[in-house]
């Protein structure tokens, strides 16, 4: 079985943009909340990100972060295979979207 493995790494600024856009699309962030002013990445049981806006903070779980990063990558025309297994890893400064695709032997 052939396997492809890729990593796409996002810095804090890219993460802010991706989460702000995702939060707006899903209705979790309103226009009156202001712009993103900071982001805090934590790793307890799973990756979690707190996005600081001008008026409040919004917390995103791993599933939401993954969706936001896929949308952001798509807007940059970076291909993300639908069938790929997607996982997140993180440091204090960046989040990495890991993609694994298995191709059965023919």
């Amino acid at each position: 079985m052939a396997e492809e493995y890729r990593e796409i790494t996002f810095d804090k600024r890219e993460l802010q943009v991706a989460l702000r856009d995702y939060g707006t699309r899903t209705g979790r962030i309103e226009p009156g909340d202001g712009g993103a002013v900071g982001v805090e990445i934590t790793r307890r049981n799973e990756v979690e990100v707190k996005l600081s806006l001008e008026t409040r903070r919004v917390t995103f779980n791993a599933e939401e972060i993954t969706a936001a990063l896929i949308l952001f990558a798509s807007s940059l025309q970076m291909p993300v295979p639908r069938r790929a297994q997607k996982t997140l890893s993180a440091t204090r400064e960046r989040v990495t979207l890991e993609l694994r695709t298995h191709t059965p032997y023919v």
Side-chain angles (χ1 to χ4, degrees), residues 44-82:
R44 292 190 181 100
N45 294 333
E46 64 176 23
V47 177
E48 183 179 274
V49 174
K50 292 181 175 117
L51 178 66
S52 296
L53 303 167
E54 293 172 7
T55 60
R56 65 188 183 104
R57 292 176 78 172
V58 181
T59 302
F60 294 91
N61 64 33
E63 186 177 302
E64 294 168 316
I65 298 164
T66 301
L69 295 179
I70 290 169
L71 286 171
F72 184 72
S74 177
S75 74
L76 298 174
Q77 298 181 345
M78 298 171 75
V80 177
R82 287 180 195 254

PDB file of all heavy atoms in Angstrom, residues 44-82:
ATOM      1  N   ARG A  44      -3.552  20.348  25.405  1.00  0.00           N
ATOM      2  CA  ARG A  44      -3.860  19.494  26.553  1.00  0.00           C
ATOM      3  C   ARG A  44      -4.106  18.097  26.011  1.00  0.00           C
ATOM      4  O   ARG A  44      -3.171  17.426  25.604  1.00  0.00           O
ATOM      5  CB  ARG A  44      -5.036  20.070  27.316  1.00  0.00           C
ATOM      6  CG  ARG A  44      -4.665  21.385  27.987  1.00  0.00           C
ATOM      7  CD  ARG A  44      -5.731  21.873  28.943  1.00  0.00           C
ATOM      8  NE  ARG A  44      -5.304  23.131  29.519  1.00  0.00           N
ATOM      9  CZ  ARG A  44      -5.705  24.310  29.123  1.00  0.00           C
ATOM     10  NH1 ARG A  44      -6.560  24.423  28.131  1.00  0.00           N
ATOM     11  NH2 ARG A  44      -5.255  25.411  29.695  1.00  0.00           N
ATOM     12  N   ASN A  45      -5.347  17.658  25.978  1.00  0.00           N
ATOM     13  CA  ASN A  45      -5.669  16.375  25.339  1.00  0.00           C
ATOM     14  C   ASN A  45      -5.660  16.509  23.828  1.00  0.00           C
ATOM     15  O   ASN A  45      -5.359  15.575  23.114  1.00  0.00           O
ATOM     16  CB  ASN A  45      -7.032  15.868  25.812  1.00  0.00           C
ATOM     17  CG  ASN A  45      -7.021  15.523  27.280  1.00  0.00           C
ATOM     18  OD1 ASN A  45      -5.984  15.180  27.833  1.00  0.00           O
ATOM     19  ND2 ASN A  45      -8.163  15.619  27.914  1.00  0.00           N
ATOM     20  N   GLU A  46      -6.035  17.682  23.350  1.00  0.00           N
ATOM     21  CA  GLU A  46      -6.008  17.971  21.921  1.00  0.00           C
ATOM     22  C   GLU A  46      -5.611  19.433  21.747  1.00  0.00           C
ATOM     23  O   GLU A  46      -5.572  20.202  22.698  1.00  0.00           O
ATOM     24  CB  GLU A  46      -7.365  17.701  21.269  1.00  0.00           C
ATOM     25  CG  GLU A  46      -8.488  18.578  21.756  1.00  0.00           C
ATOM     26  CD  GLU A  46      -9.795  18.324  21.001  1.00  0.00           C
ATOM     27  OE1 GLU A  46      -9.969  17.251  20.433  1.00  0.00           O
ATOM     28  OE2 GLU A  46     -10.627  19.240  20.995  1.00  0.00           O
ATOM     29  N   VAL A  47      -5.322  19.811  20.516  1.00  0.00           N
ATOM     30  CA  VAL A  47      -4.948  21.194  20.227  1.00  0.00           C
ATOM     31  C   VAL A  47      -6.176  22.079  20.409  1.00  0.00           C
ATOM     32  O   VAL A  47      -7.280  21.736  20.004  1.00  0.00           O
ATOM     33  CB  VAL A  47      -4.396  21.325  18.794  1.00  0.00           C
ATOM     34  CG1 VAL A  47      -4.071  22.773  18.470  1.00  0.00           C
ATOM     35  CG2 VAL A  47      -3.175  20.441  18.613  1.00  0.00           C
ATOM     36  N   GLU A  48      -5.970  23.224  21.041  1.00  0.00           N
ATOM     37  CA  GLU A  48      -7.025  24.211  21.253  1.00  0.00           C
ATOM     38  C   GLU A  48      -6.411  25.585  21.025  1.00  0.00           C
ATOM     39  O   GLU A  48      -5.257  25.810  21.353  1.00  0.00           O
ATOM     40  CB  GLU A  48      -7.544  24.085  22.685  1.00  0.00           C
ATOM     41  CG  GLU A  48      -8.690  24.986  23.030  1.00  0.00           C
ATOM     42  CD  GLU A  48      -9.169  24.773  24.457  1.00  0.00           C
ATOM     43  OE1 GLU A  48     -10.002  23.879  24.662  1.00  0.00           O
ATOM     44  OE2 GLU A  48      -8.673  25.489  25.340  1.00  0.00           O
ATOM     45  N   VAL A  49      -7.198  26.483  20.451  1.00  0.00           N
ATOM     46  CA  VAL A  49      -6.701  27.837  20.193  1.00  0.00           C
ATOM     47  C   VAL A  49      -7.699  28.852  20.733  1.00  0.00           C
ATOM     48  O   VAL A  49      -8.903  28.732  20.495  1.00  0.00           O
ATOM     49  CB  VAL A  49      -6.466  28.081  18.680  1.00  0.00           C
ATOM     50  CG1 VAL A  49      -6.101  29.533  18.414  1.00  0.00           C
ATOM     51  CG2 VAL A  49      -5.381  27.163  18.155  1.00  0.00           C
ATOM     52  N   LYS A  50      -7.173  29.839  21.457  1.00  0.00           N
ATOM     53  CA  LYS A  50      -7.989  30.962  21.920  1.00  0.00           C
ATOM     54  C   LYS A  50      -7.634  32.164  21.060  1.00  0.00           C
ATOM     55  O   LYS A  50      -6.496  32.628  21.062  1.00  0.00           O
ATOM     56  CB  LYS A  50      -7.713  31.246  23.391  1.00  0.00           C
ATOM     57  CG  LYS A  50      -8.197  30.141  24.287  1.00  0.00           C
ATOM     58  CD  LYS A  50      -7.951  30.447  25.740  1.00  0.00           C
ATOM     59  CE  LYS A  50      -8.584  29.357  26.554  1.00  0.00           C
ATOM     60  NZ  LYS A  50      -7.686  28.590  27.330  1.00  0.00           N
ATOM     61  N   LEU A  51      -8.646  32.648  20.334  1.00  0.00           N
ATOM     62  CA  LEU A  51      -8.467  33.808  19.464  1.00  0.00           C
ATOM     63  C   LEU A  51      -8.935  35.040  20.220  1.00  0.00           C
ATOM     64  O   LEU A  51     -10.087  35.114  20.642  1.00  0.00           O
ATOM     65  CB  LEU A  51      -9.275  33.628  18.176  1.00  0.00           C
ATOM     66  CG  LEU A  51      -9.229  34.780  17.174  1.00  0.00           C
ATOM     67  CD1 LEU A  51      -7.826  34.943  16.602  1.00  0.00           C
ATOM     68  CD2 LEU A  51     -10.228  34.534  16.053  1.00  0.00           C
ATOM     69  N   SER A  52      -8.039  35.994  20.406  1.00  0.00           N
ATOM     70  CA  SER A  52      -8.394  37.243  21.078  1.00  0.00           C
ATOM     71  C   SER A  52      -8.830  38.261  20.041  1.00  0.00           C
ATOM     72  O   SER A  52      -8.092  38.572  19.107  1.00  0.00           O
ATOM     73  CB  SER A  52      -7.195  37.796  21.856  1.00  0.00           C
ATOM     74  OG  SER A  52      -6.835  36.903  22.874  1.00  0.00           O
ATOM     75  N   LEU A  53     -10.056  38.744  20.235  1.00  0.00           N
ATOM     76  CA  LEU A  53     -10.603  39.793  19.383  1.00  0.00           C
ATOM     77  C   LEU A  53     -10.548  41.096  20.163  1.00  0.00           C
ATOM     78  O   LEU A  53     -10.181  41.112  21.340  1.00  0.00           O
ATOM     79  CB  LEU A  53     -12.044  39.449  18.988  1.00  0.00           C
ATOM     80  CG  LEU A  53     -12.216  38.109  18.276  1.00  0.00           C
ATOM     81  CD1 LEU A  53     -13.683  37.728  18.208  1.00  0.00           C
ATOM     82  CD2 LEU A  53     -11.607  38.160  16.892  1.00  0.00           C
ATOM     83  N   GLU A  54     -10.926  42.184  19.554  1.00  0.00           N
ATOM     84  CA  GLU A  54     -10.902  43.472  20.242  1.00  0.00           C
ATOM     85  C   GLU A  54     -11.858  43.512  21.428  1.00  0.00           C
ATOM     86  O   GLU A  54     -11.606  44.219  22.397  1.00  0.00           O
ATOM     87  CB  GLU A  54     -11.227  44.595  19.248  1.00  0.00           C
ATOM     88  CG  GLU A  54     -10.136  44.780  18.202  1.00  0.00           C
ATOM     89  CD  GLU A  54     -10.532  45.742  17.103  1.00  0.00           C
ATOM     90  OE1 GLU A  54     -11.597  46.380  17.193  1.00  0.00           O
ATOM     91  OE2 GLU A  54      -9.763  45.860  16.130  1.00  0.00           O
ATOM     92  N   THR A  55     -12.958  42.734  21.366  1.00  0.00           N
ATOM     93  CA  THR A  55     -13.969  42.806  22.428  1.00  0.00           C
ATOM     94  C   THR A  55     -14.080  41.553  23.287  1.00  0.00           C
ATOM     95  O   THR A  55     -14.673  41.599  24.356  1.00  0.00           O
ATOM     96  CB  THR A  55     -15.363  43.081  21.828  1.00  0.00           C
ATOM     97  OG1 THR A  55     -15.689  42.019  20.923  1.00  0.00           O
ATOM     98  CG2 THR A  55     -15.389  44.414  21.100  1.00  0.00           C
ATOM     99  N   ARG A  56     -13.563  40.417  22.823  1.00  0.00           N
ATOM    100  CA  ARG A  56     -13.700  39.171  23.586  1.00  0.00           C
ATOM    101  C   ARG A  56     -12.762  38.100  23.053  1.00  0.00           C
ATOM    102  O   ARG A  56     -12.049  38.325  22.077  1.00  0.00           O
ATOM    103  CB  ARG A  56     -15.141  38.670  23.544  1.00  0.00           C
ATOM    104  CG  ARG A  56     -15.618  38.264  22.159  1.00  0.00           C
ATOM    105  CD  ARG A  56     -17.116  37.954  22.147  1.00  0.00           C
ATOM    106  NE  ARG A  56     -17.555  37.507  20.848  1.00  0.00           N
ATOM    107  CZ  ARG A  56     -17.829  36.248  20.534  1.00  0.00           C
ATOM    108  NH1 ARG A  56     -17.705  35.298  21.440  1.00  0.00           N
ATOM    109  NH2 ARG A  56     -18.240  35.929  19.324  1.00  0.00           N
ATOM    110  N   ARG A  57     -12.781  36.928  23.719  1.00  0.00           N
ATOM    111  CA  ARG A  57     -11.974  35.782  23.280  1.00  0.00           C
ATOM    112  C   ARG A  57     -12.902  34.651  22.847  1.00  0.00           C
ATOM    113  O   ARG A  57     -13.939  34.423  23.452  1.00  0.00           O
ATOM    114  CB  ARG A  57     -11.084  35.288  24.418  1.00  0.00           C
ATOM    115  CG  ARG A  57      -9.998  36.293  24.766  1.00  0.00           C
ATOM    116  CD  ARG A  57      -9.221  35.822  25.939  1.00  0.00           C
ATOM    117  NE  ARG A  57      -8.281  34.798  25.473  1.00  0.00           N
ATOM    118  CZ  ARG A  57      -7.340  34.271  26.228  1.00  0.00           C
ATOM    119  NH1 ARG A  57      -7.224  34.630  27.487  1.00  0.00           N
ATOM    120  NH2 ARG A  57      -6.528  33.366  25.754  1.00  0.00           N
ATOM    121  N   VAL A  58     -12.486  33.937  21.808  1.00  0.00           N
ATOM    122  CA  VAL A  58     -13.253  32.803  21.303  1.00  0.00           C
ATOM    123  C   VAL A  58     -12.323  31.593  21.278  1.00  0.00           C
ATOM    124  O   VAL A  58     -11.203  31.679  20.782  1.00  0.00           O
ATOM    125  CB  VAL A  58     -13.800  33.079  19.879  1.00  0.00           C
ATOM    126  CG1 VAL A  58     -14.607  31.901  19.372  1.00  0.00           C
ATOM    127  CG2 VAL A  58     -14.621  34.358  19.848  1.00  0.00           C
ATOM    128  N   THR A  59     -12.798  30.462  21.817  1.00  0.00           N
ATOM    129  CA  THR A  59     -12.005  29.241  21.859  1.00  0.00           C
ATOM    130  C   THR A  59     -12.454  28.290  20.762  1.00  0.00           C
ATOM    131  O   THR A  59     -13.649  28.073  20.567  1.00  0.00           O
ATOM    132  CB  THR A  59     -12.150  28.555  23.230  1.00  0.00           C
ATOM    133  OG1 THR A  59     -11.729  29.471  24.244  1.00  0.00           O
ATOM    134  CG2 THR A  59     -11.286  27.309  23.309  1.00  0.00           C
ATOM    135  N   PHE A  60     -11.484  27.729  20.049  1.00  0.00           N
ATOM    136  CA  PHE A  60     -11.744  26.778  18.969  1.00  0.00           C
ATOM    137  C   PHE A  60     -11.125  25.432  19.316  1.00  0.00           C
ATOM    138  O   PHE A  60      -9.973  25.371  19.764  1.00  0.00           O
ATOM    139  CB  PHE A  60     -11.145  27.282  17.651  1.00  0.00           C
ATOM    140  CG  PHE A  60     -11.793  28.528  17.133  1.00  0.00           C
ATOM    141  CD1 PHE A  60     -11.296  29.779  17.484  1.00  0.00           C
ATOM    142  CD2 PHE A  60     -12.897  28.470  16.305  1.00  0.00           C
ATOM    143  CE1 PHE A  60     -11.887  30.941  17.007  1.00  0.00           C
ATOM    144  CE2 PHE A  60     -13.496  29.623  15.819  1.00  0.00           C
ATOM    145  CZ  PHE A  60     -12.995  30.860  16.181  1.00  0.00           C
ATOM    146  N   ASN A  61     -11.883  24.343  19.084  1.00  0.00           N
ATOM    147  CA  ASN A  61     -11.353  23.007  19.327  1.00  0.00           C
ATOM    148  C   ASN A  61     -10.643  22.483  18.079  1.00  0.00           C
ATOM    149  O   ASN A  61     -10.633  23.147  17.038  1.00  0.00           O
ATOM    150  CB  ASN A  61     -12.469  22.057  19.791  1.00  0.00           C
ATOM    151  CG  ASN A  61     -13.552  21.838  18.743  1.00  0.00           C
ATOM    152  OD1 ASN A  61     -13.295  21.841  17.543  1.00  0.00           O
ATOM    153  ND2 ASN A  61     -14.781  21.647  19.198  1.00  0.00           N
ATOM    154  N   ALA A  62     -10.080  21.289  18.175  1.00  0.00           N
ATOM    155  CA  ALA A  62      -9.281  20.734  17.078  1.00  0.00           C
ATOM    156  C   ALA A  62     -10.082  20.574  15.790  1.00  0.00           C
ATOM    157  O   ALA A  62      -9.570  20.845  14.698  1.00  0.00           O
ATOM    158  CB  ALA A  62      -8.683  19.394  17.503  1.00  0.00           C
ATOM    159  N   GLU A  63     -11.323  20.140  15.898  1.00  0.00           N
ATOM    160  CA  GLU A  63     -12.154  19.959  14.707  1.00  0.00           C
ATOM    161  C   GLU A  63     -12.391  21.290  13.999  1.00  0.00           C
ATOM    162  O   GLU A  63     -12.301  21.385  12.770  1.00  0.00           O
ATOM    163  CB  GLU A  63     -13.488  19.337  15.110  1.00  0.00           C
ATOM    164  CG  GLU A  63     -14.372  18.969  13.947  1.00  0.00           C
ATOM    165  CD  GLU A  63     -15.648  18.282  14.409  1.00  0.00           C
ATOM    166  OE1 GLU A  63     -15.541  17.248  15.083  1.00  0.00           O
ATOM    167  OE2 GLU A  63     -16.732  18.804  14.091  1.00  0.00           O
ATOM    168  N   GLU A  64     -12.673  22.331  14.762  1.00  0.00           N
ATOM    169  CA  GLU A  64     -12.906  23.654  14.179  1.00  0.00           C
ATOM    170  C   GLU A  64     -11.626  24.231  13.583  1.00  0.00           C
ATOM    171  O   GLU A  64     -11.655  24.848  12.513  1.00  0.00           O
ATOM    172  CB  GLU A  64     -13.454  24.609  15.238  1.00  0.00           C
ATOM    173  CG  GLU A  64     -14.829  24.224  15.742  1.00  0.00           C
ATOM    174  CD  GLU A  64     -15.231  24.997  16.972  1.00  0.00           C
ATOM    175  OE1 GLU A  64     -14.397  25.165  17.886  1.00  0.00           O
ATOM    176  OE2 GLU A  64     -16.397  25.430  17.024  1.00  0.00           O
ATOM    177  N   ILE A  65     -10.506  24.010  14.247  1.00  0.00           N
ATOM    178  CA  ILE A  65      -9.216  24.500  13.745  1.00  0.00           C
ATOM    179  C   ILE A  65      -8.898  23.820  12.418  1.00  0.00           C
ATOM    180  O   ILE A  65      -8.483  24.474  11.448  1.00  0.00           O
ATOM    181  CB  ILE A  65      -8.088  24.252  14.768  1.00  0.00           C
ATOM    182  CG1 ILE A  65      -8.360  25.018  16.064  1.00  0.00           C
ATOM    183  CG2 ILE A  65      -6.736  24.630  14.179  1.00  0.00           C
ATOM    184  CD1 ILE A  65      -7.531  24.538  17.243  1.00  0.00           C
ATOM    185  N   THR A  66      -9.113  22.510  12.366  1.00  0.00           N
ATOM    186  CA  THR A  66      -8.863  21.771  11.132  1.00  0.00           C
ATOM    187  C   THR A  66      -9.711  22.315   9.984  1.00  0.00           C
ATOM    188  O   THR A  66      -9.201  22.565   8.888  1.00  0.00           O
ATOM    189  CB  THR A  66      -9.142  20.265  11.337  1.00  0.00           C
ATOM    190  OG1 THR A  66      -8.291  19.777  12.376  1.00  0.00           O
ATOM    191  CG2 THR A  66      -8.893  19.474  10.060  1.00  0.00           C
ATOM    192  N   ALA A  67     -10.991  22.527  10.244  1.00  0.00           N
ATOM    193  CA  ALA A  67     -11.880  23.071   9.208  1.00  0.00           C
ATOM    194  C   ALA A  67     -11.410  24.455   8.765  1.00  0.00           C
ATOM    195  O   ALA A  67     -11.384  24.755   7.557  1.00  0.00           O
ATOM    196  CB  ALA A  67     -13.317  23.145   9.727  1.00  0.00           C
ATOM    197  N   ALA A  68     -11.018  25.295   9.714  1.00  0.00           N
ATOM    198  CA  ALA A  68     -10.554  26.645   9.382  1.00  0.00           C
ATOM    199  C   ALA A  68      -9.288  26.596   8.532  1.00  0.00           C
ATOM    200  O   ALA A  68      -9.151  27.354   7.560  1.00  0.00           O
ATOM    201  CB  ALA A  68     -10.304  27.440  10.662  1.00  0.00           C
ATOM    202  N   LEU A  69      -8.369  25.706   8.876  1.00  0.00           N
ATOM    203  CA  LEU A  69      -7.112  25.614   8.131  1.00  0.00           C
ATOM    204  C   LEU A  69      -7.322  25.052   6.725  1.00  0.00           C
ATOM    205  O   LEU A  69      -6.658  25.476   5.781  1.00  0.00           O
ATOM    206  CB  LEU A  69      -6.091  24.789   8.904  1.00  0.00           C
ATOM    207  CG  LEU A  69      -5.633  25.404  10.226  1.00  0.00           C
ATOM    208  CD1 LEU A  69      -4.643  24.491  10.922  1.00  0.00           C
ATOM    209  CD2 LEU A  69      -5.042  26.793  10.026  1.00  0.00           C
ATOM    210  N   ILE A  70      -8.268  24.116   6.582  1.00  0.00           N
ATOM    211  CA  ILE A  70      -8.573  23.587   5.252  1.00  0.00           C
ATOM    212  C   ILE A  70      -9.155  24.688   4.370  1.00  0.00           C
ATOM    213  O   ILE A  70      -8.760  24.838   3.207  1.00  0.00           O
ATOM    214  CB  ILE A  70      -9.524  22.382   5.349  1.00  0.00           C
ATOM    215  CG1 ILE A  70      -8.782  21.187   5.959  1.00  0.00           C
ATOM    216  CG2 ILE A  70     -10.092  22.016   3.979  1.00  0.00           C
ATOM    217  CD1 ILE A  70      -9.677  20.021   6.337  1.00  0.00           C
ATOM    218  N   LEU A  71     -10.076  25.475   4.912  1.00  0.00           N
ATOM    219  CA  LEU A  71     -10.637  26.604   4.150  1.00  0.00           C
ATOM    220  C   LEU A  71      -9.553  27.617   3.780  1.00  0.00           C
ATOM    221  O   LEU A  71      -9.524  28.133   2.663  1.00  0.00           O
ATOM    222  CB  LEU A  71     -11.733  27.292   4.955  1.00  0.00           C
ATOM    223  CG  LEU A  71     -13.060  26.558   5.062  1.00  0.00           C
ATOM    224  CD1 LEU A  71     -13.974  27.245   6.073  1.00  0.00           C
ATOM    225  CD2 LEU A  71     -13.733  26.474   3.703  1.00  0.00           C
ATOM    226  N   PHE A  72      -8.666  27.912   4.736  1.00  0.00           N
ATOM    227  CA  PHE A  72      -7.590  28.867   4.490  1.00  0.00           C
ATOM    228  C   PHE A  72      -6.650  28.340   3.402  1.00  0.00           C
ATOM    229  O   PHE A  72      -6.295  29.078   2.467  1.00  0.00           O
ATOM    230  CB  PHE A  72      -6.830  29.135   5.786  1.00  0.00           C
ATOM    231  CG  PHE A  72      -5.765  30.180   5.668  1.00  0.00           C
ATOM    232  CD1 PHE A  72      -6.094  31.517   5.541  1.00  0.00           C
ATOM    233  CD2 PHE A  72      -4.420  29.834   5.692  1.00  0.00           C
ATOM    234  CE1 PHE A  72      -5.110  32.498   5.437  1.00  0.00           C
ATOM    235  CE2 PHE A  72      -3.436  30.790   5.588  1.00  0.00           C
ATOM    236  CZ  PHE A  72      -3.778  32.126   5.461  1.00  0.00           C
ATOM    237  N   ALA A  73      -6.264  27.064   3.493  1.00  0.00           N
ATOM    238  CA  ALA A  73      -5.383  26.467   2.482  1.00  0.00           C
ATOM    239  C   ALA A  73      -6.054  26.500   1.114  1.00  0.00           C
ATOM    240  O   ALA A  73      -5.416  26.810   0.103  1.00  0.00           O
ATOM    241  CB  ALA A  73      -5.028  25.036   2.870  1.00  0.00           C
ATOM    242  N   SER A  74      -7.343  26.218   1.081  1.00  0.00           N
ATOM    243  CA  SER A  74      -8.089  26.250  -0.177  1.00  0.00           C
ATOM    244  C   SER A  74      -8.082  27.648  -0.792  1.00  0.00           C
ATOM    245  O   SER A  74      -7.938  27.799  -2.004  1.00  0.00           O
ATOM    246  CB  SER A  74      -9.519  25.787   0.068  1.00  0.00           C
ATOM    247  OG  SER A  74     -10.263  25.868  -1.104  1.00  0.00           O
ATOM    248  N   SER A  75      -8.210  28.675   0.054  1.00  0.00           N
ATOM    249  CA  SER A  75      -8.194  30.049  -0.460  1.00  0.00           C
ATOM    250  C   SER A  75      -6.836  30.417  -1.054  1.00  0.00           C
ATOM    251  O   SER A  75      -6.742  31.305  -1.888  1.00  0.00           O
ATOM    252  CB  SER A  75      -8.573  31.044   0.643  1.00  0.00           C
ATOM    253  OG  SER A  75      -7.521  31.208   1.566  1.00  0.00           O
ATOM    254  N   LEU A  76      -5.786  29.713  -0.625  1.00  0.00           N
ATOM    255  CA  LEU A  76      -4.440  29.922  -1.168  1.00  0.00           C
ATOM    256  C   LEU A  76      -4.117  28.941  -2.288  1.00  0.00           C
ATOM    257  O   LEU A  76      -2.974  28.861  -2.736  1.00  0.00           O
ATOM    258  CB  LEU A  76      -3.401  29.777  -0.048  1.00  0.00           C
ATOM    259  CG  LEU A  76      -3.517  30.769   1.097  1.00  0.00           C
ATOM    260  CD1 LEU A  76      -2.516  30.425   2.201  1.00  0.00           C
ATOM    261  CD2 LEU A  76      -3.297  32.191   0.614  1.00  0.00           C
ATOM    262  N   GLN A  77      -5.114  28.173  -2.706  1.00  0.00           N
ATOM    263  CA  GLN A  77      -4.988  27.159  -3.757  1.00  0.00           C
ATOM    264  C   GLN A  77      -3.978  26.076  -3.403  1.00  0.00           C
ATOM    265  O   GLN A  77      -3.257  25.567  -4.265  1.00  0.00           O
ATOM    266  CB  GLN A  77      -4.667  27.814  -5.104  1.00  0.00           C
ATOM    267  CG  GLN A  77      -5.768  28.752  -5.550  1.00  0.00           C
ATOM    268  CD  GLN A  77      -5.494  29.401  -6.882  1.00  0.00           C
ATOM    269  OE1 GLN A  77      -4.382  29.394  -7.379  1.00  0.00           O
ATOM    270  NE2 GLN A  77      -6.535  29.969  -7.471  1.00  0.00           N
ATOM    271  N   MET A  78      -3.954  25.713  -2.120  1.00  0.00           N
ATOM    272  CA  MET A  78      -3.130  24.599  -1.643  1.00  0.00           C
ATOM    273  C   MET A  78      -4.035  23.374  -1.577  1.00  0.00           C
ATOM    274  O   MET A  78      -5.006  23.378  -0.823  1.00  0.00           O
ATOM    275  CB  MET A  78      -2.560  24.895  -0.259  1.00  0.00           C
ATOM    276  CG  MET A  78      -1.662  26.091  -0.211  1.00  0.00           C
ATOM    277  SD  MET A  78      -1.234  26.542   1.472  1.00  0.00           S
ATOM    278  CE  MET A  78      -0.077  25.266   1.848  1.00  0.00           C
ATOM    279  N   PRO A  79      -3.764  22.328  -2.337  1.00  0.00           N
ATOM    280  CA  PRO A  79      -4.654  21.166  -2.347  1.00  0.00           C
ATOM    281  C   PRO A  79      -4.621  20.389  -1.032  1.00  0.00           C
ATOM    282  O   PRO A  79      -3.566  20.140  -0.465  1.00  0.00           O
ATOM    283  CB  PRO A  79      -4.118  20.312  -3.499  1.00  0.00           C
ATOM    284  CG  PRO A  79      -2.700  20.725  -3.658  1.00  0.00           C
ATOM    285  CD  PRO A  79      -2.615  22.164  -3.228  1.00  0.00           C
ATOM    286  N   VAL A  80      -5.816  20.052  -0.549  1.00  0.00           N
ATOM    287  CA  VAL A  80      -5.973  19.209   0.632  1.00  0.00           C
ATOM    288  C   VAL A  80      -6.915  18.080   0.227  1.00  0.00           C
ATOM    289  O   VAL A  80      -8.112  18.312   0.034  1.00  0.00           O
ATOM    290  CB  VAL A  80      -6.557  19.991   1.829  1.00  0.00           C
ATOM    291  CG1 VAL A  80      -6.774  19.080   3.023  1.00  0.00           C
ATOM    292  CG2 VAL A  80      -5.642  21.163   2.200  1.00  0.00           C
ATOM    293  N   PRO A  81      -6.400  16.861   0.066  1.00  0.00           N
ATOM    294  CA  PRO A  81      -7.246  15.755  -0.376  1.00  0.00           C
ATOM    295  C   PRO A  81      -8.383  15.466   0.611  1.00  0.00           C
ATOM    296  O   PRO A  81      -8.152  15.391   1.819  1.00  0.00           O
ATOM    297  CB  PRO A  81      -6.292  14.556  -0.438  1.00  0.00           C
ATOM    298  CG  PRO A  81      -4.925  15.126  -0.394  1.00  0.00           C
ATOM    299  CD  PRO A  81      -5.016  16.450   0.275  1.00  0.00           C
ATOM    300  N   ARG A  82      -9.588  15.318   0.102  1.00  0.00           N
ATOM    301  CA  ARG A  82     -10.749  15.029   0.950  1.00  0.00           C
ATOM    302  C   ARG A  82     -10.579  13.723   1.711  1.00  0.00           C
ATOM    303  O   ARG A  82     -10.979  13.613   2.862  1.00  0.00           O
ATOM    304  CB  ARG A  82     -12.015  14.930   0.106  1.00  0.00           C
ATOM    305  CG  ARG A  82     -12.511  16.230  -0.400  1.00  0.00           C
ATOM    306  CD  ARG A  82     -13.778  16.007  -1.215  1.00  0.00           C
ATOM    307  NE  ARG A  82     -14.083  17.172  -1.999  1.00  0.00           N
ATOM    308  CZ  ARG A  82     -15.071  18.011  -1.704  1.00  0.00           C
ATOM    309  NH1 ARG A  82     -15.830  17.782  -0.678  1.00  0.00           N
ATOM    310  NH2 ARG A  82     -15.278  19.061  -2.462  1.00  0.00           N
TER     311      ARG A  82
END
